[in-house]
Amino acid sequence: MECKDFKDFIGETNLSGLTDPPDELKQHLRKCGSCSKEYQEARGLGDLLASVKTPDIKDEYWNGYLGGVMSKIKNTKPGSTLADFYKTLLIPAAAALLLFGVYFSDTYMPLVDEMIYGDESYTSSLDFIMNEHSEAMSKYLLNTDAIFLTETLFPDTESDSGTDIRNNQ
Amino acid sequence: MKTRKATKGIEIGSSMRLSDMSDEALVEKTLEGSDAAFGELTKRYMQKSYSIAFQMVGDFETAQDLSQDVFLKIYKSLHKFNFKSKFFSWFYKILMNHCINYTRRRKALKFLAFSEIFQSSNNALDKNDILKYSDEETTEKQRMVRMAVDQLSPNHKQVIVMCDLEGFPQEEVADILGMAIGTVRSRLHYARGNLKKILKKYLNEI
């Protein structure tokens, strides 16, 4: 065995496997001081690591351990994924949101309209527009005259060309 | 003995005992709905997984929690096991990743001075209740060795734990960690070198 072979042997062997080296290794270590030193260091490290191995555990502990694992998986299906977890939350959440939306629109939207438009007769903003500007809207619908609509809703507005819109009819 | 082909082509004897089945056959049975099959898998791996977790984190209670959590993770992820690799490789890979993630979180929180979160609670597992032999006072030397192992980087720690502490053959460790055997040996070489340096500082030995 050469020094290179010794180093390969050390690298390929777990430290616990150095306690009983093969004969050819022993022969090399008798002749090579540096390899012998390296071997002793590796043996020393192996002995130190062996001193901190996991202590032996009582047999009865393992029954409790197994019971702990089985109770953890009790309410789980094998192969369940995060997607399944979200699905179980998503459907009830979507249903709750839908119900809330319906309740909110039926109960609160009329109150919102009242706050905005100040008149209980207006149940929607569309009603407001239609009632306030009904004359203008019906004329618009009859004449399809956008200029007339602009004039009615915004009587003081001038066109982009700077001339009075009314004068352009 | 009548047998039937399972969905993954694994032979499962109808009258075979669970203890006689391969790991892969037990996975198959678990996916079919047999919790007893998963119980058998747990029995096979619980001691080794507990031991590895203990070596990675250093205390009994955390090792118990981590290793039990891994079994729950495995149970939930069984549908992802592709049967192309060995079950034990897949299992230990998940276990090592789980332990490494825990140690990283613990180091980060210690840095942020939240170390009390990781101290044992008053209801901590009493090691005298679980150890076979009476717990002798841990020597200063043993404490130093454990601290030295804890100071290694996650990559070095995992090869030291699996090869030199738990005795896994290096070829198996390469398979578990999904790397070439040369990479395992290289990491082991540097890990041992770092460990020697740390221990020389603490113990003035080796």
Side-chain angles (χ1 to χ4, degrees):
Chain A
M1 186 179 270
E2 303 293 329
C3 293
K4 185 192 172 302
D5 301 320
F6 165 76
K7 287 184 195 312
D8 287 345
F9 173 79
I10 289 283
E12 291 163 12
T13 309
N14 290 348
L15 293 178
S16 56
L18 297 179
T19 50
D20 188 22
D23 290 337
E24 54 180 349
L25 174 67
K26 286 179 188 169
Q27 282 175 14
H28 178 76
L29 294 178
R30 275 195 278 271
K31 290 186 281 185
C32 180
S34 77
C35 287
S36 177
K37 182 171 182 274
E38 193 176 332
Y39 175 74
Q40 291 305 323
E41 285 187 354
R43 278 290 305 273
L45 183 59
D47 290 343
L48 282 172
L49 288 177
S51 72
V52 294
K53 279 197 187 297
T54 308
D56 290 329
I57 309 283
K58 286 179 185 172
D59 294 337
E60 44 271 33
Y61 168 78
W62 296 113
N63 292 335
Y65 183 98
L66 178 61
V69 171
M70 298 313 284
S71 69
K72 282 187 183 192
I73 70 167
K74 195 176 170 185
N75 297 321
T76 313
K77 284 185 185 164
S80 64
T81 62
L82 205 57
D84 293 331
F85 172 72
Y86 283 120
K87 270 185 211 168
T88 59
L89 285 184
L90 213 59
I91 294 165
L97 202 63
L98 193 64
L99 286 171
F100 177 74
V102 168
Y103 173 77
F104 184 84
S105 62
D106 277 351
T107 308
Y108 291 106
M109 281 316 290
L111 297 176
V112 170
D113 285 335
E114 187 186 331
M115 278 166 57
I116 294 171
Y117 305 111
D119 190 327
E120 287 177 19
S121 65
Y122 295 124
T123 55
S124 72
S125 53
L126 184 59
D127 285 346
F128 173 76
I129 292 169
M130 293 302 292
N131 283 310
E132 285 294 302
H133 301 284
S134 57
E135 188 186 336
M137 284 300 291
S138 54
K139 280 186 180 173
Y140 175 74
L141 289 170
L142 286 170
N143 299 324
T144 64
D145 191 335
I147 293 172
F148 179 78
L149 180 66
T150 306
E151 190 179 42
T152 308
L153 288 176
F154 309 103
D156 295 326
T157 304
E158 290 185 356
S159 68
D160 286 344
S161 64
T163 57
D164 193 342
I165 291 172
R166 282 170 292 185
N167 295 333
N168 286 337
Q169 284 184 357
Chain B
M1 183 176 65
K2 279 185 184 174
T3 62
R4 62 176 173 82
K5 282 253 184 199
T7 50
K8 301 289 180 186
I10 296 163
E11 297 281 344
I12 301 176
S14 58
S15 58
M16 213 189 253
R17 286 188 305 180
L18 290 175
S19 54
D20 295 332
M21 287 184 190
S22 67
D23 292 345
E24 290 73 24
L26 288 171
V27 169
E28 191 69 47
K29 256 191 121 50
T30 306
L31 286 169
E32 288 169 8
S34 168
D35 283 352
F38 191 76
E40 178 61 31
L41 269 176
T42 305
K43 270 190 239 171
R44 288 183 191 183
Y45 286 90
M46 60 186 179
Q47 295 194 35
K48 204 63 173 174
S49 68
Y50 181 92
S51 182
I52 289 173
F54 177 79
Q55 294 295 354
M56 290 297 288
V57 304
D59 84 88
F60 293 100
E61 192 176 3
T62 310
Q64 176 182 284
D65 291 341
L66 282 181
S67 56
Q68 286 185 333
D69 286 347
V70 166
F71 282 108
L72 180 61
K73 240 186 176 179
I74 293 283
Y75 187 76
K76 285 182 180 176
S77 309
L78 273 179
H79 63 289
K80 293 182 189 172
F81 178 60
N82 60 17
F83 293 90
K84 287 179 190 166
S85 57
K86 287 281 184 190
F87 175 78
F88 80 82
S89 301
W90 186 67
F91 176 87
Y92 287 124
K93 188 177 181 74
I94 291 175
L95 172 66
M96 289 308 288
N97 286 342
H98 196 60
C99 292
I100 285 173
N101 289 340
Y102 172 83
T103 53
R104 281 186 176 142
R105 280 198 313 272
R106 181 175 66 178
K107 278 190 176 160
L109 286 173
K110 268 187 179 172
F111 176 73
L112 295 171
F114 287 123
S115 57
E116 62 269 16
I117 293 170
F118 292 100
Q119 287 172 6
S120 297
S121 67
N122 290 333
N123 298 324
L125 202 63
D126 184 351
K127 56 188 173 186
N128 291 315
D129 289 341
I130 68 171
L131 296 182
K132 256 187 192 172
Y133 307 106
S134 61
D135 178 39
E136 293 165 11
E137 194 63 39
T138 307
T139 65
E140 190 61 25
K141 191 188 271 191
Q142 287 170 324
R143 257 192 286 273
M144 291 295 169
V145 174
R146 198 159 285 295
M147 263 172 54
V149 172
D150 202 43
Q151 283 185 43
L152 294 174
S153 69
N155 284 345
H156 287 172
K157 195 175 186 180
Q158 69 182 8
V159 291
I160 283 283
V161 166
M162 296 203 83
C163 295
D164 291 337
L165 280 165
E166 293 296 319
F168 281 79
Q170 292 175 9
E171 293 76 12
E172 263 184 28
V173 173
D175 191 31
I176 288 165
L177 299 180
M179 56 182 66
I181 182 79
T183 310
V184 172
R185 286 179 179 151
S186 169
R187 284 191 187 180
L188 203 51
H189 172 75
Y190 286 110
R192 288 170 180 173
N194 288 342
L195 210 47
K196 271 190 249 178
K197 276 187 208 160
I198 298 168
L199 286 168
K200 270 183 180 164
K201 220 168 39 172
Y202 289 152
L203 299 176
N204 210 26
E205 286 183 31
I206 306 180

